[in-house]
Amino acid sequence: HAQGTARSGSSFSVYAPVAITRFAPARGPAGTQVTITGTGFSPTMRNNRVWVGGRPARVLAAGETELRIEVPSRVQGGNIRVEVRGRGTAESRREFNVIAAPVVRSFTPSSGPPGTDVVLQGDHFGTSMGQVTVTLGGAACAVTSVGPTRIALRVPARASSGRFQVSVRGQGSGESSGAFEVVAPLTVSSFSPSGGGPGTDVTITGTGFSARTRDNEVFLGSSPLRVLGARPGELRVQIPAGATTGRFRVRTRGRGEALSRSSFRVQVALSIDSMEPSSGQPGTKVRLRGRGFDRRGAKVLLAGRPVRHTGVSGTEIEVTIPAGARTGPFVVRVPRMGEARSRGDFTVTQPPVLTAMSPVSGPVGTVVTLQGRGFSPTIGNNRVTLGGAACAVTSVGPTRIALRVPARA
């Protein structure tokens, strides 16, 4: 006592023991910020180490009685443990409950235009549509149904290609690993040329086609076409044998189908297969049957002279034999398709003309000879009447008919 006192050169710090009294919130998904209240913490952040369920958590702020941390990913939940450098450790009495964040494992289809229905498969989606939001490239999608492992939605207008992001209220969010490709709606705007025969290459333009040839199917009417090449705005196809005039129908995998506005005219080899009848007088109507007639500008000739036609379809033309026509073949000419000739001649016949008869009178059974021209050399093709009663023709020649006056004549 008589010697006096001495003072240390530095202060001795008295601090409270490290302890956790509470934390809030008590539950939440990975990424949740949790405030831990207690004693003995260091105001220097790096001196505090925190674990949640055995996994290290990031310290965001620190004080003597409070720490703010972020719940780490891939944690299943558990007690919170705090270690303060030089002061010891403490552990919470109760566990932090980790709410699983939504996980998107897959989606189908992988591409499509706005309006496409898409199904997401995954986990932890919940069951309430009101708790779930889904975006694609930042655009909100219309959610049509929700289940714990499945979400059905519709791709919105003005969406852009990107990943789906699913947010569940109170659980956090999850993102798909792959991107959904938003494509233009499938349309057929034009094609060129507008017609051609089998083997013709046709270019179809539009939107929404797949760049992969095998993903595009093209039909002309009901006939499938071979796709020679494909780009998002263009398809090259070939007209097959047996195809008929019709509209193009394009079907692209996962994108639906589209129909051309106009028809492609399939041009077949021009031919005249038959004519009916094969002979007749001027004024007779004749039907020519064949192929390749269905075009404007078709012309018909008989023995080299034009013949007026009254009706044209793809397989039939009706013509009228004009006055002054001569026996000969029919020829059909179609622009850019050439011409076709009938296999046989059409025989133009003239009306029979009577110049004389002998005798000029007689009883029933009298044999009468008619003189003239235009008679058929075949007896059965000549019909003679007298006062409306049919006469029996006994012989014929180009200028002569012999007959017998019938009873009741």
Side-chain angles (χ1 to χ4, degrees):
H1 181 75
Q3 293 179 325
T5 60
R7 186 185 297 269
S8 63
S10 59
S11 298
F12 179 83
S13 296
V14 178
Y15 52 82
V18 179
I20 299 173
T21 56
R22 63 180 182 274
F23 59 83
R27 61 196 297 268
T32 300
Q33 292 188 11
V34 178
T35 299
I36 303 170
T37 304
T39 60
F41 306 149
S42 172
T44 303
M45 283 200 302
R46 66 174 179 271
N47 289 340
N48 304 282
R49 298 175 66 190
V50 183
W51 291 262
V52 178
R55 297 189 66 85
R58 185 161 69 100
V59 179
L60 305 175
E64 289 284 354
T65 59
E66 189 175 278
L67 297 176
R68 188 159 52 86
I69 66 166
E70 183 180 85
V71 175
S73 59
R74 300 177 185 176
V75 65
Q76 303 298 318
N79 297 91
I80 295 177
R81 184 164 63 92
V82 176
E83 180 183 294
V84 182
R85 183 181 297 173
R87 299 185 183 182
T89 62
E91 188 170 292
S92 63
R93 294 180 181 178
R94 57 191 179 93
E95 294 184 348
F96 179 85
N97 294 318
V98 174
I99 301 172
V103 177
V104 182
R105 303 194 185 280
S106 64
F107 55 85
T108 55
S110 60
S111 63
T116 299
D117 291 326
V118 180
V119 174
L120 308 182
Q121 301 287 347
D123 295 302
H124 315 305
F125 294 153
T127 56
S128 174
M129 286 177 52
Q131 304 290 320
V132 176
T133 58
V134 183
T135 60
L136 174 61
C141 301
V143 177
T144 55
S145 68
V146 173
T149 61
R150 180 183 182 277
I151 295 176
L153 57 91
R154 186 165 291 121
V155 176
R158 300 180 182 177
S160 57
S161 298
R163 298 182 179 184
F164 288 106
Q165 184 164 10
V166 177
S167 298
V168 180
R169 190 179 302 168
Q171 291 182 223
S173 61
E175 192 174 64
S176 62
S177 58
F180 180 89
E181 181 187 5
V182 178
V183 299
L186 190 63
T187 64
V188 176
S189 56
S190 64
F191 55 84
S192 179
S194 60
T200 300
D201 289 353
V202 180
T203 299
I204 300 173
T205 56
T207 60
F209 306 146
S210 173
R212 292 188 297 183
T213 301
R214 66 178 180 272
D215 288 345
N216 303 285
E217 292 181 284
V218 183
F219 300 84
L220 180 58
S222 59
S223 300
L225 276 59
R226 180 185 171 203
V227 180
L228 304 175
R231 292 191 297 178
E234 184 179 286
L235 296 176
R236 251 186 340 108
V237 299
Q238 188 174 80
I239 304 302
T244 57
T245 295
R247 294 199 286 176
F248 287 110
R249 181 164 50 94
V250 177
R251 183 185 301 157
T252 300
R253 183 178 299 173
R255 303 179 190 179
E257 66 180 41
L259 201 63
S260 65
R261 296 177 182 176
S262 57
S263 294
F264 179 89
R265 288 183 173 271
V266 177
Q267 301 166 1
V268 297
L270 193 61
S271 69
I272 301 175
D273 299 330
S274 67
M275 57 181 164
E276 185 181 345
S278 60
S279 63
Q281 302 173 13
T284 300
K285 293 186 182 298
V286 181
R287 290 184 183 274
L288 304 179
R289 291 185 173 87
R291 292 173 294 172
F293 299 157
D294 190 13
R295 285 190 64 89
R296 294 180 180 178
K299 294 183 178 180
V300 182
L301 298 93
L302 174 60
R305 295 182 179 181
V307 179
R308 185 171 63 92
H309 59 75
T310 56
V312 180
S313 70
T315 59
E316 190 174 284
I317 298 179
E318 184 177 84
V319 300
T320 302
I321 303 301
R326 297 181 303 178
T327 296
F330 279 107
V331 172
V332 176
R333 290 177 180 167
V334 178
R336 296 186 295 278
M337 291 185 66
E339 66 178 37
R341 182 182 298 266
S342 62
R343 296 173 185 173
D345 289 347
F346 179 85
T347 302
V348 178
T349 61
Q350 299 300 326
V353 177
L354 294 177
T355 59
M357 64 178 172
S358 179
V360 296
S361 64
V364 172
T366 300
V367 175
V368 180
T369 300
L370 303 178
Q371 300 291 334
R373 62 180 180 273
F375 306 147
S376 172
T378 304
I379 290 179
N381 291 343
N382 300 277
R383 183 173 181 270
V384 183
T385 61
L386 177 60
C391 302
V393 177
T394 58
S395 66
V396 296
T399 61
R400 176 183 173 277
I401 294 179
L403 56 88
R404 186 171 284 109
V405 175
R408 300 179 183 176

